[in-house]
Amino acid sequence: MRNEGAAGLATVLALADSRLPIGGHVHSGGVEEAVSSGLLRDNASVELYLRRRIATTGLVTASLAAAVCGGALTPERAELEADARTPSPAARAASRAQGRGLLRLAKQLWPHHDWAPAGARPHLSTVFGMVGLACGARTDELAGVVVYTTLTGAATAAQRLLALDPAAIAAGTMRLAPLCDRIAEEAALGLAALSDPVQDALAERHLHRDMPLFAS
């Protein structure tokens, strides 16, 4: 039974909706550069990339958000922890851009919540954690949302860039659902501290692309 004031299922699902207007649709999660570099070519290579992204970026981002949601980290401390876990300046900029987008939306949805601790340019993980607090989501629920959006944003970008069958991409994301659940459970238990040199390198190389389709 859910506690009084806890987030309803519809609220949790809405946070995981790709239509959430936070600017995520313009970020590929390194996919655009991976496609350009020949690392991603087909459904199989995309699924491998998504597995790697879920287990690294997804885990770290979700663990930070869950820590803020559960009160283990203040937003101010979460910002420092996020910077320490994001070696790539380009990846940090992408996280902060999406964080600002989510913060703008959150201020409209929960206007009486104190958003001042987020600052002007918060990481996405920090704002997700604060949103969890504002709406009463459980830490495991919030971690699941963050991991899922880490997966679907990159998957959608891959489908668009490679002109893959949307049904095949959807099937791949369904196959990855058990992994998402396991990573979310791990993220809710405590802070993760790891990075992915491949994704860091892709993020930095993307800065030098001529006329990119995605911001990151």
Side-chain angles (χ1 to χ4, degrees):
M1 181 176 295
R2 304 180 72 86
N3 295 328
E4 184 178 354
L9 177 60
T11 299
V12 176
L13 292 175
L15 291 175
D17 194 326
S18 61
R19 295 170 298 177
L20 203 67
I22 64 174
H25 63 284
V26 301
H27 295 272
S28 74
V31 168
E32 182 173 14
E33 192 60 38
V35 169
S36 177
S37 301
L39 298 177
L40 302 185
R41 304 172 302 278
D42 50 24
N43 291 315
S45 57
V46 168
E47 191 165 329
L48 287 173
Y49 181 85
L50 294 175
R51 285 183 177 276
R52 180 173 184 144
R53 181 164 172 78
I54 292 167
T56 53
T57 301
L59 173 60
V60 171
T61 306
S63 73
L64 288 164
V68 174
C69 179
L73 284 181
T74 65
E76 296 87 350
R77 181 65 188 183
E79 287 293 286
L80 298 175
E81 298 289 350
D83 277 341
R85 287 162 171 77
T86 315
S88 162
R92 290 198 296 270
S95 172
R96 292 186 181 280
Q98 293 175 81
R100 290 197 303 273
L102 180 56
L103 182 60
R104 285 194 297 272
L105 175 63
K107 286 179 177 179
Q108 294 188 41
L109 295 175
W110 298 281
H112 302 298
H113 188 77
D114 181 14
W115 299 104
R121 298 180 61 252
H123 278 285
L124 180 61
S125 54
T126 301
V127 185
F128 255 130
M130 295 180 73
V131 165
L133 277 173
C135 73
R138 300 195 312 257
T139 55
D140 60 325
E141 290 176 329
L142 187 71
V145 167
V146 175
V147 173
Y148 179 74
T149 55
T150 302
L151 162 67
T152 56
T156 300
Q159 189 272 317
R160 291 165 60 186
L161 290 166
L162 292 169
L164 298 173
D165 181 358
I169 290 294
T173 58
M174 290 295 291
R175 284 192 294 271
L176 292 172
L179 175 61
C180 286
D181 291 340
R182 291 196 299 272
I183 293 298
E185 290 173 1
E186 182 179 349
L189 294 176
L191 288 178
L194 73 162
S195 62
D196 185 346
V198 171
Q199 291 188 69
D200 291 336
L202 292 173
E204 290 302 306
R205 284 164 52 181
H206 189 272
L207 291 176
H208 305 290
R209 286 186 58 79
D210 292 329
M211 299 180 65
L213 297 176
F214 290 86
S216 70

